[in-house]
């Protein structure tokens, strides 16, 4: 029986031109025997700007829908493919060789691990890369560790939410991505860590593109009032989840 990793991507017009490079990085992935990936690309809106860049590949599904932000687009993408694990891949980013295989290996090795993340390299416009100086050691990420670090470091987590690979049932149980104008992936990361242990791979798993059109580089993203409100609700959700007598995997009884 073939098992599957669903790769989900939210995209809008300005980032669509990077889809072929993201696809190339997916094609280069080598999964264990009996595994495959299926890529669901969901446009946040209905335009003619994205479809020309969608790869002609039977493993790729393209859908459109009314705009509601990246989190909604990713969550809606889950309706279009079945699979045990869900991997995030932003339209302008690229997976490094072996990234999916490492995710699958970590999740298969320990049923108590709910999600994985990996080291990230920023991909700069000149083609050079820069790493993050505060990566944790390879291994388990205990419940609450991400929230503690995030709260103590100006709302910057020690693991990057753009690298997440998560068990589908856990993702759905938490309601998918948060309904926020930004930081929806950080909200998901903190929620996951509030209820389950994760795994961090110290080998770089993602090239995170830095370019002038990226959403996180726009003025609205760093507006102090909005940022404070986003961070407040992200933290409140994570702390509420941590206070409940609920964890993944669920205990019997």
């Amino acid at each position: 029986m073939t098992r599957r990793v669903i790769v989900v991507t939210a995209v809008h017009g300005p980032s669509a031109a990077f889809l072929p490079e993201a696809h190339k990085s997916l094609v280069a992935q080598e999964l264990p025997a009996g595994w495959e990936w299926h890529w669901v690309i969901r446009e946040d809106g209905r335009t003619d700007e994205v479809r020309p860049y969608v790869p002609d590949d039977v493993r790729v599904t393209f859908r459109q829908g009314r705009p509601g932000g990246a989190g909604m687009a990713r969550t809606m993408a889950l309706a279009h493919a079945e699979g045990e694990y869900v991997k995030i891949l932003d339209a302008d980013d690229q997976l490094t060789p072996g990234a999916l295989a490492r995710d699958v290996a970590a999740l298969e090795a320990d049923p108590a691990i709910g999600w994985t993340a990996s080291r990230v390299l920023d991909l700069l416009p000149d083609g050079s890369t820069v790493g993050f100086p505060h990566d944790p050691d390879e291994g388990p990420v205990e419940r609450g560790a991400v929230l503690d670090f995030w709260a103590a470091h100006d709302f910057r987590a020690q693991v990057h939410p753009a690298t997440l690979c998560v068990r589908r049932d856990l993702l759905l149980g938490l309601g998918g991505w948060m309904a926020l104008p930004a930081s929806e992936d950080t909200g998901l990361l903190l929620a996951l860590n509030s209820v389950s242990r994760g795994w961090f791979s110290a080998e770089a798993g993602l090239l995170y593109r830095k370019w002038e059109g990226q959403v996180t580089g726009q003025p609205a993203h760093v507006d102090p009032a909005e940022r404070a409100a986003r961070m407040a609700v992200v933290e409140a959700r994570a702390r509420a989840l941590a206070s409940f007598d609920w964890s993944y995997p669920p205990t019997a009884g």
Side-chain angles (χ1 to χ4, degrees):
M1 181 180 69
T2 300
R3 303 171 70 188
R4 179 182 290 171
V5 179
I6 308 167
V7 183
V8 297
T9 296
V11 63
H12 65 322
S15 60
F18 296 115
L19 287 173
E21 291 182 68
H23 179 248
K24 184 178 179 180
S25 76
L26 264 175
V27 171
Q29 299 297 308
E30 295 184 2
L31 286 171
W35 283 87
E36 66 180 13
W37 55 261
H38 189 93
W39 191 18
V40 183
I41 302 169
R42 170 89 179 192
E43 181 181 358
D44 184 34
R46 294 186 180 94
T47 72
D48 296 325
E49 300 177 56
V50 175
R51 189 179 295 275
Y53 296 100
V54 175
D56 182 13
D57 187 326
V58 295
R59 298 168 294 179
V60 178
T61 297
F62 174 60
R63 293 290 186 270
Q64 297 171 297
R66 56 178 172 167
M72 189 192 77
R74 294 192 198 102
T75 301
M76 291 293 288
L78 297 176
H80 302 294
E82 294 293 330
E84 296 169 60
Y85 304 142
V86 178
K87 177 69 173 178
I88 300 171
L89 178 59
D90 287 347
D92 49 2
D93 294 341
Q94 300 170 47
L95 298 179
T96 62
L100 279 186
R102 290 190 292 273
D103 290 332
V104 168
L107 292 167
E108 288 290 288
D110 187 351
I113 295 294
W115 53 275
T116 68
S118 69
R119 184 167 183 252
V120 169
L121 296 177
D122 286 346
L123 177 60
L124 305 182
D126 65 1
S128 63
T129 58
V130 178
F132 178 61
H134 302 298
D135 289 321
D137 294 333
E138 174 145 351
V141 181
E142 300 300 331
R143 287 180 62 182
V146 179
L147 176 60
D148 290 343
F149 186 98
W150 178 85
H153 292 82
D154 191 33
F155 309 127
R156 184 169 186 180
Q158 75 275 47
V159 299
H160 204 302
T163 69
L164 279 172
C165 186
V166 57
R167 297 183 189 275
R168 181 189 174 105
D169 57 349
L170 174 58
L171 175 61
L172 291 172
L174 290 172
W177 286 263
M178 289 190 74
L180 296 172
S183 307
E184 74 291 330
D185 52 356
T186 298
L188 173 60
L189 170 64
L190 295 186
L192 289 168
N193 184 234
S194 292
V195 301
S196 66
R197 299 169 75 229
W199 180 272
F200 180 77
S201 174
E203 189 167 349
L206 186 76
L207 298 179
Y208 183 81
R209 189 186 303 273
K210 296 286 190 176
W211 60 291
E212 62 181 12
Q214 67 186 132
V215 173
T216 54
Q218 305 309 306
H221 186 76
V222 294
D223 174 76
E226 184 190 286
R227 182 174 185 265
R230 294 198 316 263
M231 298 306 105
V233 73
V234 163
E235 181 171 3
R237 182 200 194 197
R239 294 198 183 282
L241 284 168
S243 72
F244 298 154
D245 186 20
W246 188 88
S247 63
Y248 187 93
T251 55

